[in-house]
Amino acid sequence: MKIGIDAMGGDYAPKAIVEGIVLAAQELPAGVTIVLIGKTAEIQQIIDNQNFSGSNIEIVEANETIEMGEHPVRALQSKPNSSIGVGFKLLKTGVIDVFASAGNTGAMMVGSLFSIKTIEGIQRPPIAGFAPQIDGNLAVILDIGANADVKPEMLVQFGILGSIYAKATMGIESPRVALMNIGEEPEKGSVIVQQAYKLLSEEKKINFVGNIEGKDFFKAKADVIVTDGFTGNILLKMGESLYGILSDRGIKDDFVDKTNYEAVGGSPIIGVNGNVVIAHGSSSALATKNMVHLCHKIVESKLTEKIKKAFA
């Protein structure tokens, strides 16, 4: 297994990214190699400073970097040797099994849609996030930002994709799928959400348990939470804010610690022809380490193959 990581993407790259990779490399099982993509000399210097003596880190040269503020399409076209551009080439040709970056999110989405492309039958791939639950588990929430505007049929696909993800990577045999809404009753919410409720209720591929409200977000009422990317992004970031607020007040709590973005380390784009993970722009070494473990779990679960089979 080869896990491809953009070493140059992120607010604290390459230092924090490479330091996190060194931490992860010491924890991964035999046969798993991390492929760092970026400026070789800079990456090697950081690895040397960590006194790393393992053999499971490789470097692939990419002498350009797509900055956070650059236009995604133009940047990928004008910088074919960028770490993100090279990463997608390696993923498309099967050199790496997964590609992850804390860099330009738009460029990662564009690369996913136009390089490895969407799995046939899927309308719009969502980005999946993870919300800690009071029972100690995580719920998959999708979408969290790729699709601010959705159609009812898209929300149904999000439910199916989330269900496949939860079953494949979390080992949940029949994941409970819920629709985020402003009330529990079927007739509540926007026209789109009402139509989605009806379609989700009729969908035989999932275990639909109905609507949940914002107050249920952490209550362990569902394993998969379905919503549009606009709402999902707001919910997730509001949840993440709990960690910062309580930390600033000196309050330590195991549940709240899991709302910290570093706890999982990344968010997979689900429904494209390859494994792609987007990480927080402010990713630290700890977040990067956890991102690598998330990548390992996704590849090991054969998630993409299972999605292709479900939509064949």
Side-chain angles (χ1 to χ4, degrees):
M1 185 192 299
K2 292 201 170 186
I3 297 171
I5 305 291
D6 172 12
M8 312 311 290
D11 297 339
Y12 306 112
K15 190 173 184 291
I17 304 299
V18 179
E19 287 176 354
I21 293 307
V22 170
L23 291 173
Q26 297 170 70
E27 298 177 357
L28 289 170
V32 181
T33 302
I34 301 171
V35 180
L36 280 169
I37 303 154
K39 296 174 182 175
T40 306
E42 288 184 41
I43 295 168
Q44 191 61 58
Q45 182 64 56
I46 300 164
I47 292 173
D48 292 343
N49 291 344
Q50 297 298 301
N51 297 317
F52 179 72
S53 58
S55 59
N56 58 344
I57 296 178
E58 297 175 1
I59 303 172
V60 172
E61 173 68 19
N63 58 15
E64 296 175 306
T65 303
I66 295 176
E67 304 298 338
M68 288 297 198
E70 288 191 74
H71 187 277
V73 177
R74 285 198 293 269
L76 280 169
Q77 288 173 341
S78 64
K79 294 181 175 180
N81 293 319
S82 65
S83 49
I84 290 179
V86 172
F88 275 109
K89 283 176 202 162
L90 296 175
L91 184 63
K92 188 176 182 179
T93 54
V95 176
I96 55 177
D97 300 295
V98 57
F99 178 49
S101 174
N104 188 308
T105 301
M108 289 296 286
M109 278 303 302
V110 170
S112 296
L113 297 175
F114 293 100
S115 176
I116 56 171
K117 298 185 170 54
T118 306
I119 292 170
E120 194 172 342
I122 293 173
Q123 292 186 29
R124 294 289 297 273
I127 302 173
F130 304 94
Q133 302 297 298
I134 54 173
D135 63 358
N137 295 314
L138 291 171
V140 185
I141 172 169
L142 61 181
D143 189 11
I144 61 159
N147 306 284
D149 297 300
V150 297
K151 296 175 181 176
E153 296 79 12
M154 288 167 63
L155 291 172
V156 175
Q157 288 198 342
F158 295 173
I160 296 169
L161 291 168
S163 192
I164 295 168
Y165 185 93
K167 188 173 182 178
T169 68
M170 298 172 171
I172 304 168
E173 191 52 43
S174 181
R176 297 163 299 161
V177 179
L179 181 64
M180 182 56 67
N181 205 338
I182 57 171
E184 293 182 2
E185 300 84 0
E187 62 273 8
K188 284 287 179 74
S190 65
V191 172
I192 288 171
V193 170
Q194 287 178 37
Q195 290 173 343
Y197 184 99
K198 183 175 182 296
L199 294 173
L200 285 162
S201 301
E202 296 166 354
E203 180 53 66
K204 299 290 190 289
K205 292 178 183 174
I206 59 171
N207 173 22
F208 182 58
V209 295
N211 288 326
I212 60 169
E213 301 175 65
K215 65 183 174 65
D216 304 314
F217 189 53
F218 300 115
K219 294 271 188 73
K221 291 190 175 182
D223 304 300
V224 178
I225 299 171
V226 172
T227 187
D228 61 86
F230 184 89
T231 307
N233 191 282
I234 290 170
L235 278 169
L236 203 69
K237 286 178 178 171
M238 185 189 70
E240 287 177 358
S241 74
L242 292 173
Y243 175 78
I245 292 166
L246 294 180
S247 294
D248 289 345
R249 296 186 173 202
I251 299 170
K252 179 87 172 156
D253 180 87
D254 288 344
F255 169 78
V256 174
D257 284 350
K258 290 178 184 172
T259 64
N260 179 8
Y261 78 90
E262 293 176 315
V264 176
S267 298
I269 300 174
I270 301 183
V272 291
N273 282 295
N275 301 308
V276 181
V277 173
I278 296 172
H280 203 289
S282 301
S283 286
S284 61
L286 174 61
T288 303
K289 184 192 82 164
N290 288 333
M291 174 181 74
V292 171
H293 287 301
L294 175 66
C295 289
H296 176 246
K297 183 190 288 184
I298 288 170
V299 177
E300 197 175 46
S301 73
K302 294 185 166 40
L303 174 68
T304 301
E305 291 89 332
K306 287 172 181 173
I307 292 171
K308 285 179 183 176
K309 187 177 177 182
F311 282 86

